[in-house]
């Protein structure tokens, strides 16, 4: 099957490697040294789903009409990436793997003639170096659409499920909000320079992370969201988190850390900062802040996370555990 993947980073590169390894005719878009290495030496995939080197077509933009296109850029790059490739995206099913809440609207605006399918990845992967993607923890992906016609989502899920666990879900908005809770693991590593596991192991940082998760759950419930179950986080469990004290809510990040295993997971936001690229913090924690404002509420923990991640992006200076705990002390009071 001919499959195009726009953005061969941590997520897109992992998907490309798996699809190519299974015999699909895959082309990817990449830039700079990453593009050069893929062209010269292939796309290397290591980690939880096995090791392989796959030869794939690679260029700055797509070069042909594919049967399926997958967009796996950062949220702030997605619309322009679709426009740059619009010649080969029109009238083709498009799966957009994007964090936050705006993926379907972004893609539909950029390519209105395509069937747009939202994608959420719960596997953890890292862009180690040019041409190399390392999957630190396996996990399923979830696809869905904005309306009632889920045929495109089921079609794309069948294609991807042949190489990695993938499911079509009817309540994609609820899935996006559950993923926003899960994505609360990203900001504190970006603020401190620590891995997700190190953050969760530190009691003060774990409390902050739990507070941001609880705040996210509260805002979602205020908007009438019914959470979709991802990684064992059900609507019932997240409703309980929203009303639980922080000492009890910390069971959730602890369980997430165990699922990640021992391989340090830097989180996507810290990976972007280390590469000198803009992070997705505005699409993650920022989405919670905007949703709170729409409901006439506040989200002080998430707002401070946005501020501090941008500070690190601007200065290159991480906060110590003591400094981070002091900055969040007021925002995390019950």
């Amino acid at each position: 099957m001919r499959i195009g993947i726009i953005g061969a980073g941590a997520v897109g590169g992992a998907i490309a490697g798996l699809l190519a390894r299974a015999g699909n005719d895959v082309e990817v878009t990449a830039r700079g040294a990453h593009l050069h290495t893929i062209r010269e030496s292939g796309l290397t995939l290591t980690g939880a789903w096995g090791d392989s080197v796959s030869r794939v077509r690679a260029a700055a933009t797509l070069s042909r009409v594919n049967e399926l296109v997958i967009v796996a850029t950062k949220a702030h790059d997605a619309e322009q990436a679709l426009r740059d490739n619009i010649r080969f995206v029109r009238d083709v099913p498009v799966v957009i793997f994007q964090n936050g809440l705006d993926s379907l609207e972004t893609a539909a605006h950029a390519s209105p003639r395509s069937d747009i399918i939202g994608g959420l990845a719960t596997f953890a992967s890292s862009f180690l170096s040019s041409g190399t993607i390392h999957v630190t923890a396996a996990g399923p992906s979830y696809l869905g659409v904005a309306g009632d016609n889920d045929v495109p989502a089921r079609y794309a899920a069948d294609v991807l499920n042949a190489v990695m666990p993938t499911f079509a879900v009817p309540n994609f908005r609820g899935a996006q909000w559950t993923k926003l809770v899960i994505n609360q693991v990203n900001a504190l590593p970006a603020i401190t320079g620590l891995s997700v596991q190190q953050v969760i192991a530190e009691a003060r940082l774990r409390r902050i992370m739990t507070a941001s998760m609880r705040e996210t759950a509260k805002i979602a419930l205020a908007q009438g969201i019914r959470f979709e179950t991802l990684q064992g986080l059900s609507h019932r469990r997240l409703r309980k988190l929203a009303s639980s004290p922080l000492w009890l809510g910390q069971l959730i990040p602890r369980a997430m850390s165990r699922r990640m295993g021992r391989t340090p997971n830097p989180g996507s936001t810290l990976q972007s900062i280390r590469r000198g690229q803009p992070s997705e913090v505005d699409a993650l924690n920022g989405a919670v802040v905007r949703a709170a404002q729409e409901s006439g509420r506040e989200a002080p923990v998430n707002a401070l996370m946005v501020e501090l991640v941008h500070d690190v992006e601007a200065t290159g200076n991480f906060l110590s555990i003591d400094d981070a705990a002091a900055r969040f002390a007021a925002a995390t009071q019950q």
Side-chain angles (χ1 to χ4, degrees):
M1 184 175 182
R2 296 190 313 279
I3 301 174
I5 297 180
I6 300 174
V11 171
I15 296 171
L18 292 170
L19 288 168
R21 188 166 71 190
N24 294 284
D25 182 358
V26 176
E27 72 165 345
V28 303
T29 71
R31 295 177 292 186
H34 190 42
L35 173 58
H36 176 76
T37 302
I38 293 172
R39 281 174 164 171
E40 293 295 315
S41 307
L43 179 61
T44 300
L45 182 65
T46 64
W49 281 322
D51 300 348
S52 60
V53 179
S54 299
R55 289 288 180 177
V56 299
R57 302 168 188 263
T61 58
L62 298 179
S63 63
R64 65 182 185 184
V65 175
N66 292 281
E67 297 167 82
L68 179 69
V69 170
I70 296 169
V71 180
T73 65
K74 294 297 184 184
H76 47 267
D77 294 327
E79 183 168 1
Q80 188 59 51
L82 280 163
R83 295 191 185 283
D84 290 344
N85 291 275
I86 194 64
R87 177 183 173 193
F88 298 114
V89 171
R90 289 192 186 98
D91 304 315
V92 176
V94 173
V95 180
I96 178 163
F97 276 90
Q98 182 181 312
N99 290 318
L101 301 175
D102 302 327
S103 60
L104 295 172
E105 294 82 357
T106 296
H109 184 256
S111 186
R113 284 166 46 181
S114 298
D115 286 323
I116 303 299
I117 304 136
L120 299 169
T122 67
F123 62 85
S125 60
S126 298
F127 182 177
L128 289 184
S129 60
S130 296
T132 301
I133 306 298
H134 181 71
V135 180
T136 57
S141 294
Y142 301 87
L143 307 185
V145 296
D148 296 329
N149 179 18
D150 67 346
V151 172
R154 288 189 282 113
Y155 161 74
D158 286 343
V159 172
L160 291 176
N161 194 49
V163 299
M164 65 185 202
T166 306
F167 306 95
V169 294
N171 176 24
F172 189 69
R173 191 64 168 178
Q176 287 179 306
W177 271 101
T178 305
K179 185 70 183 331
L180 265 185
V181 175
I182 294 169
N183 279 136
Q184 295 297 320
V185 304
N186 281 295
L188 283 169
I191 291 166
T192 62
L194 302 174
S195 71
V196 176
Q197 292 96 324
Q198 287 174 311
V199 166
I200 294 173
E202 214 295 323
R204 288 172 294 174
L205 297 182
R206 186 174 63 249
R207 177 185 171 87
I208 297 167
M209 183 181 290
T210 304
S212 71
M213 289 179 171
R214 185 176 67 178
E215 186 176 84
T216 302
K218 286 182 176 180
I219 298 304
L221 292 171
Q223 290 207 335
I225 296 296
R226 181 167 185 83
F227 293 103
E228 185 70 41
T229 300
L230 308 184
Q231 289 190 343
L233 295 181
S234 64
H235 181 75
R236 179 179 178 181
R237 191 173 184 190
L238 290 175
R239 279 189 63 188
K240 185 174 182 180
L241 169 66
S243 59
S244 293
L246 293 179
W247 65 264
L248 180 59
Q250 291 179 56
L251 293 174
I252 289 179
R254 283 183 181 275
M256 294 170 70
S257 181
R258 288 193 297 271
R259 188 178 293 111
M260 290 177 191
R262 296 183 178 181
T263 303
N265 179 1
S268 62
T269 306
L270 179 55
Q271 288 186 59
S272 295
I273 289 174
R274 285 175 171 169
R275 292 197 298 271
Q277 298 174 347
S279 77
E280 288 187 307
V281 68
D282 291 315
L284 299 176
N285 305 86
V288 180
V289 175
R290 291 189 295 275
Q293 292 170 343
E294 291 170 5
S295 304
R297 296 169 177 261
E298 295 182 346
V301 182
N302 279 274
L304 184 53
M305 285 182 167
V306 173
E307 176 186 337
L308 294 180
V309 170
H310 282 315
D311 284 349
V312 174
E313 288 178 314
T315 66
N317 298 321
F318 297 112
L319 270 65
S320 68
I321 294 172
D322 287 343
D323 287 343
R327 290 296 302 270
F328 281 98
T332 57
Q333 292 302 309
Q334 297 187 51

